[in-house]
Amino acid sequence: MSKNKVRVLIVDDSAMVRKLLSKILSSDKDIEVVGSAMDAYMARDRIKKLNPDVLTLDVEMPKMDGVTFLKNLMRLRPMPVIMVSTLTEKGAEVTLDALSAGAVDFVTKPKIDLQHNIDDYAEEIISKVKAAARARVRAKPTQPMKVQDKYSADDVLGERKKPKVKLLTTDKMIAIGASTGGTEAIREVLCQLPASMPAIVIAQHIPPKFSAAFAERADACCAIRVKEAEDGELIVPGSAYVAPGHRHLLVVRDGVRWKCKLSDDLPVNRHKPSVDVLFRSVSENVGPNALGLILTGMGKDGAQGLKDMLEAGAHTIAQDEASSVVWGMPGAAVEIQAAKEVLPLKSIPDKLISRFR
């Protein structure tokens, strides 16, 4: 972080939530809460007056809802916005709309009786505000396209196994990992792929209820089938399988076939689903028949897993810095030389198509 503090404006119709968020964010020495607003109209005036670096924005507000305000904001004055959402199916749909409209990330709305896990919540929102301050935010059209972690992948999967290089199948597989900015990046890639593509497995950092809604939205715009992964289901070409929120997705062998395995094991890199866990399982069970792709995201989850895939003979790609919302995960992969190629997001669909034509 620079010596200058990240200036945050909190927009929420609940006085209790505004007070709690202000207390949490102000506790960090690198963040300054410059003000708050109870609705979109007050927020508009305070943005002009206070010029904040980051906005936390309630999804559901009186007078004008958060997504409508966000769309106007991204058209007239693009800036990093973190949505504050309820953890419901309706909240998932609205939040995905907000991410499509240009929001950098989201957090769930804090509960007033949060004391039992306030530290975890505080760590999450503080880290996301700091990441948002560094994010690349661009104007959006009014009609857009559809604590140090104690655990590693070894704790979930055990000791590394030698990759099964001699496979009894010619089927290929693409493994994708992403976090901040990833829902839109993944959708942009998937919706340009033909139905003839190999099977795709996806680990996106996302909470429960959101993963199913994300898969359904992507499926509506794609030639391939996109669905939330189910434990034990066969992985077949022309389909993409999204890890459910709060469950690891692994690829396991069943003779010459592959199946999805869902795990409730420990979080890895503070995440469940973890990209490292998915990539490790692909390196061990698919080996050189796989392609690994790591997209925009905060942190380093997936970097070591991508290197595992590279060492198993897979082709590996990282999204470049210029097109990433946050170049944390792909940057970490590049730093440890886990990526054979570093590409802008717009070039990735054609690269995947050409490799599997």
Side-chain angles (χ1 to χ4, degrees), residues 41-333:
Y41 297 97
M42 186 181 293
R44 180 189 59 192
D45 294 337
R46 295 200 172 171
I47 288 171
K48 294 177 182 177
K49 180 180 178 180
L50 300 171
N51 194 32
D53 301 313
V54 177
L55 198 71
T56 69
L57 180 60
D58 186 13
V59 168
E60 298 175 358
M61 296 187 297
K63 299 182 181 178
M64 182 188 297
D65 66 86
V67 176
T68 300
F69 176 66
L70 175 70
K71 289 177 179 177
N72 292 331
L73 183 67
M74 298 309 291
R75 179 170 53 88
L76 300 172
R77 189 198 183 282
M79 64 178 296
V81 176
I82 295 177
M83 304 303 294
V84 181
S85 168
T86 55
L87 193 59
T88 64
E89 290 182 11
K90 180 182 177 183
E93 287 289 345
V94 176
T95 304
L96 290 169
D97 282 341
L99 294 173
S100 180
V104 171
D105 208 340
F106 68 93
V107 292
T108 55
K109 186 176 279 287
K111 297 178 181 178
I112 306 306
D113 60 347
L114 195 66
Q115 295 303 319
H116 64 288
N117 62 349
I118 187 70
D119 291 341
D120 290 341
Y121 186 86
E123 184 177 7
E124 178 188 15
I125 191 168
I126 287 170
S127 63
K128 288 188 174 184
V129 163
K130 290 181 177 181
R134 300 189 296 266
R136 292 162 186 83
V137 178
R138 300 173 179 87
K140 289 282 185 176
T142 52
Q143 295 295 329
M145 273 183 58
K146 295 185 140 170
V147 176
Q148 178 69 30
D149 184 49
K150 299 178 182 179
Y151 308 112
S152 69
D154 291 342
D155 295 296
V156 173
L157 300 176
E159 295 182 2
R160 283 177 169 78
K161 303 173 185 176
K162 291 183 179 180
K164 300 176 175 64
V165 176
K166 295 182 179 179
L167 302 176
L168 299 176
T169 177
T170 58
D171 283 348
K172 308 294 183 182
M173 184 180 295
I174 299 169
I176 301 176
S179 184
T180 310
T183 54
E184 284 305 296
I186 290 171
R187 195 158 69 101
E188 187 170 332
V189 170
L190 295 185
C191 290
Q192 297 183 60
L193 300 179
S196 57
M197 292 298 290
I200 301 171
V201 287
I202 300 166
Q204 160 73 42
H205 297 161
I206 202 166
K209 299 183 186 292
F210 283 59
S211 50
F214 166 58
E216 289 171 6
R217 288 166 66 93
D219 184 62
C221 77
C222 292
I224 62 174
R225 180 183 65 149
V226 185
K227 67 182 300 293
E228 188 178 49
E230 299 177 51
D231 189 45
E233 74 174 312
L234 286 176
I235 297 173
V236 297
S239 296
Y241 304 85
V242 178
H246 284 357
R247 299 193 78 183
H248 292 304
L249 171 61
L250 297 87
V251 173
V252 295
R253 292 291 298 277
D254 181 18
V256 297
R257 303 176 300 178
W258 292 304
K259 285 185 175 180
C260 294
K261 179 182 177 181
L262 300 183
S263 166
D264 289 313
D265 219 318
L266 302 168
V268 171
N269 300 318
R270 290 177 20 205
H271 294 290
K272 188 165 65 171
S274 162
V275 182
D276 265 339
V277 170
L278 175 62
F279 282 3
R280 262 280 303 280
S281 72
V282 172
S283 75
E284 293 177 354
N285 292 291
V286 186
N289 278 18
L291 181 148
L293 172 60
I294 191 163
L295 299 174
T296 174
M298 180 174 62
K300 62 180 182 179
D301 186 33
Q304 182 58 51
L306 195 72
K307 191 166 187 178
D308 291 339
M309 290 185 65
L310 179 65
E311 292 173 349
H315 190 79
T316 56
I317 300 172
Q319 184 177 352
D320 74 351
E321 185 173 5
S323 66
S324 296
V325 174
V326 178
W327 206 55
M329 287 164 47

Side-chain angles (χ1 to χ4, degrees), residues 9-71:
L9 177 66
I10 297 169
V11 185
D12 198 292
D13 67 336
S14 166
M16 290 295 292
V17 171
R18 292 197 303 272
K19 182 178 179 181
L20 180 57
L21 291 180
S22 180
K23 181 180 179 181
I24 290 172
L25 294 174
S26 297
S27 69
D28 189 275
K29 62 182 179 60
D30 294 318
I31 296 175
E32 178 186 2
V33 176
V34 295
S36 63
M38 63 183 298
D39 60 46
Y41 297 97
M42 186 181 293
R44 180 189 59 192
D45 294 337
R46 295 200 172 171
I47 288 171
K48 294 177 182 177
K49 180 180 178 180
L50 300 171
N51 194 32
D53 301 313
V54 177
L55 198 71
T56 69
L57 180 60
D58 186 13
V59 168
E60 298 175 358
M61 296 187 297
K63 299 182 181 178
M64 182 188 297
D65 66 86
V67 176
T68 300
F69 176 66
L70 175 70
K71 289 177 179 177

